[in-house]
Amino acid sequence: MEYITSFYTEALYMSYFRKKSIWVYHFNSGGCNGCDIEFVDALTPKYDVERLGVQLVSSPRHADVLVVTGPITTMAARALRNIYEQIPEPKKVIALGTCACTGGIFAGGYNVIGGADKVIPVDVKIPGCPAHPGVFLKALARLAGVERDGG
């Protein structure tokens, strides 16, 4: 351990160890909870994302990826921005479901701003009502670089 830290910067050191595991924080800004159910389904033994190092964490300070579900409302926008700022770099954001991408059926509502990209930068958008857990896993694989360089 001391050998690695003496030759590499802390950021490079952290990015090396974070490469193999993705810790996910979930933010629900409202909606029908259909995408929340599919998100939880992706974490169950049926898809078994923990074998890939993916873990749901309870604090944004421990997360690498922020998963946003539901349309962004005026009430939720500040909370979403605060949570995004608490996640350490390098961080990625996944908008899961049509509502998180564009506002979905709630778009145009008096208190709906739209998709998550109206408040924070979004790296991956997964449309669908609800979004399928398999597509979510594919997005995680893309963020981890598995599709690009084989993991």
Side-chain angles (χ1 to χ4, degrees):
M1 288 296 205
E2 293 179 31
Y3 175 77
I4 292 173
T5 56
S6 63
F7 286 98
Y8 295 98
T9 64
E10 182 180 341
L12 191 62
Y13 177 75
M14 291 306 291
S15 66
Y16 174 79
F17 286 101
R18 284 182 166 176
K19 186 176 180 183
K20 296 296 179 186
S21 63
I22 298 175
W23 289 10
V24 175
Y25 185 81
H26 178 219
F27 179 79
N28 177 5
S29 63
C32 69
N33 295 349
C35 291
D36 300 319
I37 293 169
E38 297 299 323
F39 173 73
V40 171
D41 189 28
L43 301 174
T44 61
K46 180 178 180 181
Y47 292 95
D48 197 16
V49 293
E50 286 193 10
R51 68 185 157 90
L52 305 173
V54 177
Q55 184 176 2
L56 182 66
V57 294
S58 59
S59 171
R61 296 179 195 270
H62 300 152
D64 304 306
V65 175
L66 173 62
V67 177
V68 180
T69 57
I72 307 304
T73 62
T74 53
M75 293 290 289
R78 176 182 277 174
L80 177 60
R81 192 173 303 112
N82 287 341
I83 287 171
Y84 175 78
E85 291 170 356
Q86 291 179 37
I87 297 175
E89 295 286 346
K91 55 188 163 189
K92 300 291 182 183
V93 177
I94 297 176
L96 185 64
T98 301
C99 293
C101 292
T102 64
I105 62 171
F106 303 101
Y110 70 94
N111 63 343
V112 176
I113 296 173
D117 60 346
K118 301 288 185 189
V119 179
I120 58 174
V122 174
D123 298 291
V124 178
K125 290 182 177 180
I126 304 174
C129 187
H132 191 273
V135 180
F136 174 66
L137 296 179
K138 187 172 183 174
L140 288 176
R142 182 172 293 167
L143 289 177
V146 173
E147 288 187 344
R148 185 181 62 247
D149 56 18

